[in-house]
Amino acid sequence: MPLDPVAVPLTLVSHILCPYVQRAVIALTEKAVPYRRIDISLSDKPEWFNVLSPLGKVPLLQVGAGTDAAVIFESAVILEYLEETQPNPLHPADPLARARHRGWIEFASAQLAGIARLYSAADQAGFDREHAALQSGFQRLEAELAKRTGGPWFAGNVFTLVDATFGPVFRYLDLFEAVAGLHLTLGLPHIAGWRTALASRPSVAGAVDPAYGRLLHETLAAKDSILGQRLRQAA
Ligand SMILES: N[C@@H](CCC(=O)N[C@@H](CS)C(=O)NCC(=O)O)C(=O)O
């Protein structure tokens, strides 16, 4: 039974650049669920956030209001909760397909972790290692996409949570390509088509603030890392 958002308000505690927040925003938008968003600073976390967040990470979904509100943490768990309580399913109905999709959501998280290691790598050897690992992950994803019938989405013609989780992954690649000349999905046509479709999906395009591109660029360029150096040189 879907929750009544008026009776049970939802609040997404967020950060302007966080890719894990974006997946929740995309799911909420696709499901047309009203919610309130609160952006916090992660370099100076508010005390109320430290109290609420067991892992000290965004996103958090607060369900309800005031002292009775429940807190859900971990983006994949938030997606599952929204799936179980809100309309417009984004998981396949078939249990086997659903389990496979959960696996690919985990794969998206692994690629995000790899992207964070890539932009933080302080020496060339570490950068090259992370670059190769990410490329190999995208090749594996390409092989998976090649098996599907139809497109442009992960599961063919239906937009699912796997799409919601890869939109934020590919957003990083847009900056890496445009500014740092870094091409992680070159020669992978299925991913290329998927990226184009995701970039023009309103829920994906609208999941970030208009200042996102500039802020991401500034944040990564400030890093004492190989990629930070490249971005500073390109500025
Ligand atoms: N596994 C978590 C990852 C969330 C995460 O890493 N959030 C980052 C921002 S994108 C964060 O809050 N970092 C703050 C910190 O680690 O202190 C999820 O899926 O929700």
Side-chain angles (χ1 to χ4, degrees):
M1 189 54 180
L3 285 175
D4 176 351
V6 177
V8 185
L10 298 177
T11 304
L12 191 65
V13 183
S14 310
H15 179 267
I16 193 161
L17 294 180
C18 180
Y20 301 94
V21 165
Q22 289 173 45
R23 32 167 91 164
V25 170
I26 295 167
L28 285 158
T29 309
E30 290 287 340
K31 289 176 173 297
V33 175
Y35 68 99
R36 189 164 71 107
R37 174 174 175 152
I38 300 176
D39 279 297
I40 61 158
S41 160
L42 288 173
S43 53
D44 182 19
K45 296 174 186 167
E47 193 42 37
W48 62 262
F49 172 76
N50 291 328
V51 170
L52 284 185
S53 178
L55 294 175
K57 293 181 180 184
V58 292
L60 291 182
L61 185 71
Q62 279 183 280
V63 181
T67 47
D68 288 342
V71 173
I72 303 177
F73 61 104
E74 283 298 311
S75 61
V77 179
I78 292 171
L79 295 182
E80 294 290 341
Y81 173 74
L82 293 174
E83 202 52 23
E84 287 178 6
T85 56
Q86 302 294 340
N88 305 326
L90 295 168
H91 254 331
D94 171 59
L96 180 58
R98 203 158 60 238
R100 281 190 55 252
H101 279 222
R102 289 183 175 127
W104 286 102
I105 289 170
E106 184 56 32
F107 191 86
S109 297
Q111 288 297 90
L112 281 177
I115 286 171
R117 288 194 300 271
L118 178 79
Y119 66 60
S120 305
D123 58 65
Q124 194 62 47
F127 180 88
D128 292 344
R129 193 174 53 244
E130 297 305 339
H131 188 274
L134 278 168
Q135 264 184 330
S136 139
F138 285 125
Q139 279 157 8
R140 180 124 204 171
L141 183 60
E142 175 76 9
E144 190 62 26
L145 290 175
K147 294 184 204 157
R148 80 201 151 158
T149 39
W153 311 116
F154 176 79
N157 58 5
V158 185
F159 187 97
T160 66
L161 288 176
V162 181
D163 300 290
T165 54
F166 275 96
V169 173
F170 295 143
R171 218 190 290 280
Y172 282 102
L173 306 195
D174 296 340
L175 174 75
F176 294 171
E177 285 167 13
V179 189
L182 201 67
H183 296 276
L184 287 161
T185 63
L186 208 59
L188 304 178
H190 294 281
I191 291 189
W194 192 22
R195 283 181 63 182
T196 304
L198 282 168
S200 56
R201 183 86 172 183
S203 64
V204 177
V208 289
D209 189 275
Y212 169 89
R214 178 181 56 77
L215 288 174
L216 181 66
H217 190 171
E218 283 171 11
T219 304
L220 299 190
K223 286 197 169 285
D224 189 12
S225 70
I226 298 287
L227 191 71
Q229 204 175 358
R230 272 207 208 182
L231 292 170
R232 286 195 295 281
Q233 280 161 0

